[in-house]
């Protein structure tokens, strides 16, 4: 089965020495959800913006290849990229409260993309918008179409965003922390909605999050990012139950549920700032297992093929099956 | 200046903007500031610097063009006007008028405006309503027209002009001071000062006022430019200082009749005026780009 | 919304009462209007006669109330020099000034919006710096001097435009340029700042994520939201054009309110001066209220609250 999105060796930098994303590669398949998880500053948002071509002007992108449905995105002109954005790949963002144009009615914003990409007439687009809004669980759809964003709640606005992103039936949906700004109950509903989208339309979903709980709920596969690199990748259940990279392990350890009744665990130190070019493993300075050969890039790369970018990955009892599938499924 | 570490009680005391002119290579602002200062020095030393008496007519030497035209001479580098008076000297003395009116009127209107704004912002309620109403009345008043009318009946002495301008230019000071005072009043260090039992006047002067410094300096530069502009406009219309006082605006007015052949009579004081106003504006712009506690904001 | 409006209008009326009082008392500040009106060579008797005839012997507040009452009913007295009703003279002169002010605000809006917009899109670039520089020069430029300069350049040096009179539209080109240039900087800067802020918002990012080309994002999404403060300011700027017209009309010999104001002040035509100051004041206050209403209308939150 061919990947919907295939990224090879993505780098995003702000100057010669400051890189937000280094050498990131991954695939996303139709009908599956790949979660990229990491702390703020890990480069996960930049990765998604890079794929969409929405990086801030100061950022420099370089990649060997970014394939969307087999079409190479690297080197496309802005016009060509515009044609794909919104129609073949769509994105929803973290802040539903500010992500909709406050001066434009919902209906107009909904149909704008579809109309622009020339796929439908006004009536057809309107009908589809109403259908999608209803499907995402927004009642009273006709009335809502004529409303302004400020008349809707945060949860409703995020549903509108999701519906809006589906208007052109994209094969890839990128969701950058879609539930972070919402309360817990609404979070569950939105995540459920995303699952439904996947089930019904077969859309591939690339979901960016810092919340391991979200990963546990919706991810098929997960990639853990640290310091601009993917440090571990694999099927979600495997990675969550048996993390191989010390960082992933430490993250899971920090969850309150992990050690009930004890002091919360923290990871000492802090994440690397861009400017520190790290040869070798960026986590080494904070890692319990750190030692020799942690600065050997070639070795780290080789080890990554087995799932974790670490020279001394955590190992488990032989009875546990070898990890099936890494970053490239 | 050490900053408080406790969050929320940090005084937003900004460092005096002047020191930042000298770092981070803001050449334009530096040049502008130098220009204004130099002009001030020239204005103060006018009687010693000016080559001739600006009031002394010399009917034998009328309308001599500036030195860069044919017929000009270095004895009168900027030429002479229709009464034979040396233009360079008149220009130098004219700077006095512009700068004097500019700074004094701004100073007085600043006092008025900042006081009103501070009181309104700090006390709120009735005081605020009264001050806001006063500001609205001032804004509803056609400034130049009123100034013209008053000066026409009261005569064109320098004092009158300064007084009139002072009474007309305080509105922006008041608005800015009021807005900032309201904001700063909510900050923790003010509340703690009040809790200590400090007299409101002391709170206003020692806590609130210093934190408005940058914004008020910006307003001040704007109003200095405004005042200079208004004075020259009034003089141009014949309602400002009376001849033979060499106000630049008046010089431009006197040059109006000779526009056809001796346009330089009008260009010279006008260019001087333009440069002065440019310099003041550039200084104001630069100050407005500095934010408290570090770094320029572009 | 209605309550908002009535409050604004009430405030406006209060302001107008004050400004009209100031306008009225201003002219009594120094000098006795009766002796001025009677002339320099008048005897004491003649002056007393004038005083009684025009009611200058009444206490000032009563004079003010009378003036105001008469004014509301449309009678501001006769011009001291033209001997015809003040209101009539003003009505004759208004069209020219309105025309000039409209052309000028139009000009400064078009140029200002364009320059501010381009500067915002190319923020930090050469064009941005150029626009800011032009804006700076325009702000520092004295209106009356600029008017003279362009008159010299375009009427004398290259005689392409007339320097005075009101025959054709050509007569308005230079005055419009002079006035418009003065009002431009505020519009340029406001548009630029506003648009820069809007372009950084999340909803612009969403629009781009939909694949809308950048140009259309700017015109359809960004500009509309950026326009709000600019429109409000422009409305107020229109009022300031009136004051600027005093100088410009005088220089270009246009027979508008500005020139009327100036000559009235020169001649000491008290009823005219009072009426004109009041007129300007009324216009300023009305424009201020209009500006608030427009700002409120452009804000969708307030607009929907009206209909709710």
């Amino acid at each position: 089965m061919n990947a919907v999105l295939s990224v090879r060796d993505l780098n995003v930098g702000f100057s010669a020495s400051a890189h937000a994303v280094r050498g990131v590669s991954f695939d996303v398949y139709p009908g599956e959800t790949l979660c990229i998880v990491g702390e703020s500053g890990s480069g996960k948002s930049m990765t998604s913006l890079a794929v969409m071509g929405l990086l801030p002007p100061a950022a420099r992108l370089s990649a060997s290849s970014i394939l969307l449905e087999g079409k190479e995105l690297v080197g496309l002109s802005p016009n060509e990229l515009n044609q794909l954005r919104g129609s073949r790949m769509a994105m929803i963002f973290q802040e539903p409260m500010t992500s909709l144009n406050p001066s434009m009615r919902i209906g107009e914003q909904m149909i704008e993309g579809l109309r622009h990409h020339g796929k439908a007439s006004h009536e057809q687009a309107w009908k589809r918008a109403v259908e999608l809004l209803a499907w995402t669980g927004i009642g009273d759809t006709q009335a809502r179409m004529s409303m302004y964003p400020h008349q809707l709640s945060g949860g409703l606005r995020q549903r509108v965003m999701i519906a809006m992103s589906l208007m052109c039936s994209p094969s890839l949906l990128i969701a950058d922390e879609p539930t972070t700004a919402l309360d817990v109950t609404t979070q569950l509903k939105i995540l459920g909605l995303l699952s439904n989208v996947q089930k019904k339309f077969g859309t591939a979903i690339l979901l960016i999050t810092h919340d391991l709980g979200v990963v546990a709920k919706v991810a098929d596969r997960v990639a853990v990012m640290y310091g601009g690199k993917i440090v571990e990748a694999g099927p979600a259940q495997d990675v969550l139950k048996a993390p191989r990279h010390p960082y992933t392990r430490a993250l899971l350890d920090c969850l309150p549920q992990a050690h009930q009744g004890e002091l919360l665990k923290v990871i000492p130190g802090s994440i690397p700032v861009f400017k520190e070019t790290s040869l070798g493993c960026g986590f080494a300075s904070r890692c319990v297992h750190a030692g020799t050969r942690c600065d050997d890039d070639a070795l780290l790369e080789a080890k990554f093929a087995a799932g974790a970018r670490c020279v001394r990955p955590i190992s488990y009892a032989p009875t546990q099956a070898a990890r099936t599938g890494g970053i490239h499924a | 200046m050490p900053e408080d570490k406790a969050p929320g009680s940090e005084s937003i005391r900004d460092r005096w903007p002047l020191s930042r002119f000298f770092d981070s290579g803001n050449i334009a602002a530096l040049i502008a500031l130098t220009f204004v200062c130099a002009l001030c020095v020239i204005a103060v030393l006018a009687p010693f610097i000016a080559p001739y008496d600006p009031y002394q007519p010399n009917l034998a030497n009328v309308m001599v063009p500036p030195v860069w035209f044919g017929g000009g001479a270095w004895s009168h580098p900027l030429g002479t006007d229709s009464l034979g008076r040396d233009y360079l000297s008149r220009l130098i003395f004219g700077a006095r008028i512009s700068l004097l009116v500019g700074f004094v009127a701004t100073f007085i209107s600043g006092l008025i405006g900042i006081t009103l704004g501070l009181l309104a912002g700090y006390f709120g309620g009735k005081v605020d309503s009264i001050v806001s109403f006063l500001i609205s009345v001032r804004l509803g008043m056609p400034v130049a027209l009123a100034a013209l009318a008053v000066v026409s009946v009261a005569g064109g002495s320098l004092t009158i002009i300064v007084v009139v301008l002072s009474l007309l230019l305080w509105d922006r000071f008041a608005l800015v001071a009021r807005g900032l005072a309201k904001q700063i009043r909510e900050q923790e260090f003010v509340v703690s000062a009040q809790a200590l039992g400090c007299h409101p006047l002391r709170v206003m002067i020692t806590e609130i006022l210093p934190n408005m410094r940058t914004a008020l300096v910006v307003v001040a530069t704007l109003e200095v430019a405004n005042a200079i502009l208004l004075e020259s406009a009034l003089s141009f219309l014949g309602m400002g200082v009376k001849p033979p006082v060499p106000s630049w605006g008046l010089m431009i007015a006197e040059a109006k009749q000779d526009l056809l052949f001796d346009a330089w009579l009008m260009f010279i004081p006008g260019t001087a005026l333009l440069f002065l106003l440019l310099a003041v504006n550039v200084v104001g712009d630069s100050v407005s780009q500095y934010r408290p506690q570090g770094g320029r904001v572009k | 919304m209605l309550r908002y409006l009535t409050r604004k209008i009430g405030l406006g009326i209060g302001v107008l009462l004050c400004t009209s009082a100031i306008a009225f008392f201003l002219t009594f500040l120094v000098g006795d209007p009766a002796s001025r009106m009677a002339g320099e060579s008048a005897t004491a008797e003649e002056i007393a006669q004038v005083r009684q005839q025009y009611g200058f012997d009444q206490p000032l507040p009563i004079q003010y109330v009378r003036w105001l009452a008469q004014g509301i009913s449309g009678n501001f007295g006769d011009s001291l020099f033209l001997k015809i009703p003040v209101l009539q003279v003003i009505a004759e002169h208004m069209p020219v000034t309105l025309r000039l002010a409209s052309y000028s605000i139009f000009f400064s809006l078009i140029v200002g919006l364009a320059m501010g917009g381009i500067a915002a899109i190319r923020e930090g670039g050469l064009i941005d710096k150029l626009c800011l520089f032009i804006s700076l020069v325009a702000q520092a430029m004295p209106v009356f001097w600029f008017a003279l300069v362009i008159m010299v350049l375009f009427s004398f040096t290259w005689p392409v435009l007339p320097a005075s009179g009101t025959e054709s539209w050509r007569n308005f080109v230079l005055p419009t340029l002079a006035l418009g240039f003065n009002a431009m900087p505020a519009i340029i800067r406001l548009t630029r700042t506003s648009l820069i802020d809007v372009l950084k918002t999340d909803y612009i990012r969403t629009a781009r994520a939909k694949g809308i080309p950048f140009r259309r994002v700017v015109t359809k999404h960004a500009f509309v939201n950026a326009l709000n403060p600019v429109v409000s300011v422009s409305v107020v700027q229109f009022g300031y054009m009136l004051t600027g017209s005093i100088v410009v009309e005088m220089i270009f010999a246009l027979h508008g309110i500005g020139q009327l104001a100036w000559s009235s002040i020169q001649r000491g035509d008290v009823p005219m001066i009072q009426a004109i100051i009041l007129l300007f004041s009324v216009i300023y206050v009305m424009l201020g209220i209009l500006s608030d209403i427009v700002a409120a209308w452009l804000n969708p939150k307030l607009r929907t609250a009206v209909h709710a």
Side-chain angles (χ1 to χ4, degrees), chain C residues 84-194:
Chain C
I84 46 180
V86 158
L87 226 46
Q88 186 181 334
V89 180
I90 291 183
E92 280 169 3
H93 284 75
M94 263 320 262
V96 169
T97 307
L98 279 179
R99 208 171 145 188
L100 177 61
S102 311
Y103 290 175
S104 304
I105 198 81
F106 204 55
F107 169 76
S108 44
L109 267 177
I110 292 188
V111 177
L113 285 174
M115 280 177 62
I118 297 179
I121 295 177
R122 306 228 179 277
E123 186 189 351
L126 202 58
I127 295 201
D128 184 18
K129 297 204 167 102
L130 186 64
C131 288
L132 283 177
F133 179 69
I134 295 179
S135 168
L136 186 66
V137 171
Q139 185 159 338
M141 184 81 77
V143 176
F144 59 91
W145 187 67
F146 184 63
L148 286 175
V149 168
I150 56 179
M151 177 151 78
V152 167
L153 280 180
F154 297 110
S155 291
F156 300 156
T157 319
W158 301 295
V160 288
L161 290 165
S164 57
T166 36
E167 300 89 49
S168 75
W169 61 267
R170 281 174 201 269
N171 294 87
F172 283 89
V173 173
L174 289 180
T176 302
L177 185 58
L179 259 189
F181 196 64
N182 198 29
M184 241 175 43
I187 297 181
I188 294 179
R189 288 222 249 178
L190 205 48
T191 307
R192 178 181 174 275
T193 319
S194 191

Side-chain angles (χ1 to χ4, degrees), chain C residues 51-74:
Chain C
R51 183 168 295 134
Q52 206 193 25
Q53 181 185 2
Y54 282 94
F56 290 142
D57 49 349
Q58 306 267 4
L60 274 182
I62 301 218
Q63 288 189 49
Y64 167 64
V65 174
R66 239 182 31 160
W67 174 74
L68 202 58
Q70 284 184 323
I72 294 180
S73 60

Side-chain angles (χ1 to χ4, degrees), chain A residues 246-260:
Chain A
Y247 174 63
T248 321
R249 183 63 199 263
L251 269 186
L252 286 163
D253 247 11
C254 289
L255 289 175
Q257 299 94 297
H259 305 273
Q260 302 235 339

